[in-house]
Amino acid sequence: MEVTHYKDIDETVYHEKMNNGLEVVYIKKGGFNKKFVTYTTKFGSMDNDFTVDGIRHQIPDGIAHFLEHKMFEKEDGDVFNKFSQNGANANAFTSYDRTTYLFSCTENFYENLKLLMDMVETPYFTDESVKKEIGIINEEIKMYQDNPGFRVYNQLLESLYQKHPIRIDIAGTLESISEITKDTLYMCHETFYAPNNMVMVIVGDFDTEELFEFIRTHQDNRNIEVLKEITHHFEVEPKDVLESVATTPMNVSDTRLMLGFKYLEPGEEDKYNEAKRDIIMMFALDMVFGAQSKYYYEMMNESLIDESFNFGFSAEHTYGHTLFTSRGSNAKDVVKRILEIIEEVNTTDYFTDEMLLSQKRELLGDYLSSLDSPEYIANQYTKYLLDGNNLYQVPSIVDGITLEDVKVTFKEVLDPKYMSESLIVPYE
């Protein structure tokens, strides 16, 4: 077992890899009554083309999300009910590159931990239950298709990317879901829910050795010896966008705009610099377009935007984009002004040391406050770990960001040559 103490923030992390390959991280929060656990597999909606044991599999879109739904259903009933009976709140979610199961509780911790492990590690599928789930998820997909916020986002990703599987919604499509069988689900579970492809993060106040011995015993009893090597296949994504403007009419009262700037990494960027870039873009976007910025004030005064205006940067190793959202009939004017602002920022000394220092102080204040939240710690530690980073490196990353970093990254990431507009417009 590895033990790391972060003196500056007084956090202690215990880390051990089980005999079967499962990574377990325990973050001790002395005196905390609440416990929080995440159990995550590196299997998300993008993982639809892979080779394992020399055999290539191309599986239906949406199967990771489908599998997440099915894991709560067992032969003896719904596991959600069992968590509730044990006084726990349980949930799960699927993203582009992972699926996470989680629970929080203040009592019956070890009963709930065993329940979580048994649920995630022991699949139960039947032809009848799969058919029933297909119907449920089909209704979910149809519901999302009627949501203008969902449609404008998916339409943008389909415009920005030509080949990357991020173009496909996490839930899949009506056609792809209908192709899922219990055999495919069992194969995906055996492949991606193998312990060496998973990580567990636990936050709370426990006897450390008792906690790890409980997990060791459980994992050893699984008798899993053969660990599969998974090779993922992604087509090379071109730098250019697929289309610059996409428009869909819907039954809406006003136009929904989502503007996207595609950004593919210019090389093999290391994980530390990926995390640094994410924070830099968060700073830069807030300095330029945030509610305290002069440009936000000007756009509000000119009635170009309202409270619906939002923005954000998202990137992983195989994709990246910056999104702006707005509502109103003046979408063309909003796009024009955003492009003018980007040009003005890139050709003037807009960013200042004072701005950057303020951003750093605000982020570190929020970060330190969040370390009192077991939910934040577990979820963010999981994210940073699977991205090859460490949640407790954030203060050092922030400290190392310079004004030149902000200027260069902002200009590099927001390149109008790789821009798409997604519009949901009212019927004429």
Side-chain angles (χ1 to χ4, degrees), residues 129-196:
S129 69
V130 170
K131 183 178 180 180
K132 179 181 177 183
E133 193 66 38
I134 288 173
I136 293 171
I137 295 182
N138 274 346
E139 290 305 311
E140 182 181 320
I141 292 172
K142 290 175 183 177
M143 181 182 67
Y144 285 137
Q145 291 299 322
D146 290 333
N147 183 306
F150 173 86
R151 289 287 294 277
V152 75
Y153 174 68
N154 264 38
Q155 182 174 257
L156 180 64
L157 294 184
E158 290 171 358
S159 301
L160 282 176
Y161 296 93
Q162 300 187 38
K163 299 181 178 181
H164 198 284
I166 196 176
R167 300 180 79 251
I168 307 298
D169 177 51
I170 288 171
T173 65
L174 298 176
E175 294 76 17
S176 68
I177 291 301
S178 67
E179 300 172 3
I180 294 175
T181 67
K182 71 174 185 180
D183 293 335
T184 312
L185 291 172
Y186 275 120
M187 182 273 293
C188 288
H189 185 277
E190 181 183 358
T191 300
F192 291 102
Y193 284 63
N196 64 314

Side-chain angles (χ1 to χ4, degrees), residues 245-291:
V245 180
T247 305
T248 298
M250 287 185 69
N251 186 24
V252 293
S253 59
D254 55 11
T255 297
R256 313 293 176 94
L257 163 70
M258 186 166 280
L259 178 67
F261 293 81
K262 183 177 179 180
Y263 172 72
L264 300 182
E265 292 178 4
E268 293 296 319
E269 192 168 24
D270 64 71
K271 298 298 183 181
Y272 183 90
N273 281 325
E274 285 181 2
K276 182 178 179 181
R277 177 205 57 210
D278 292 351
I279 296 174
I280 290 170
M281 278 306 295
M282 180 171 60
F283 285 171
L285 288 169
D286 196 54
M287 283 188 269
V288 178
F289 297 102

Side-chain angles (χ1 to χ4, degrees), residues 5-45:
H5 182 68
Y6 297 89
K7 185 178 179 181
D8 291 345
I9 51 179
D10 193 25
E11 295 282 346
T12 302
V13 178
Y14 301 82
H15 179 274
E16 181 174 327
K17 183 169 283 192
M18 301 290 120
N19 293 329
N20 61 13
L22 173 67
E23 278 192 81
V24 178
V25 175
Y26 164 45
I27 300 160
K28 189 173 185 65
K29 300 297 290 184
F32 276 55
N33 193 33
K34 190 172 188 178
K35 290 88 173 166
F36 198 93
V37 180
T38 60
Y39 199 6
T40 302
T41 171
K42 291 174 268 188
F43 181 40
S45 63

Side-chain angles (χ1 to χ4, degrees), residues 49 58 90 108-109 120 140 164 166 178 195 233 241 253 330 337 341 357 367 384 407 415:
D49 187 356
Q58 292 175 304
N108 302 318
F109 172 77
V120 171
E140 182 181 320
H164 198 284
I166 196 176
S178 67
H233 304 291
V241 303
S253 59
N330 55 354
R337 186 59 185 136
I341 291 170
L357 181 60
Y367 169 82
Y384 274 82
K407 294 176 182 177
D415 190 334

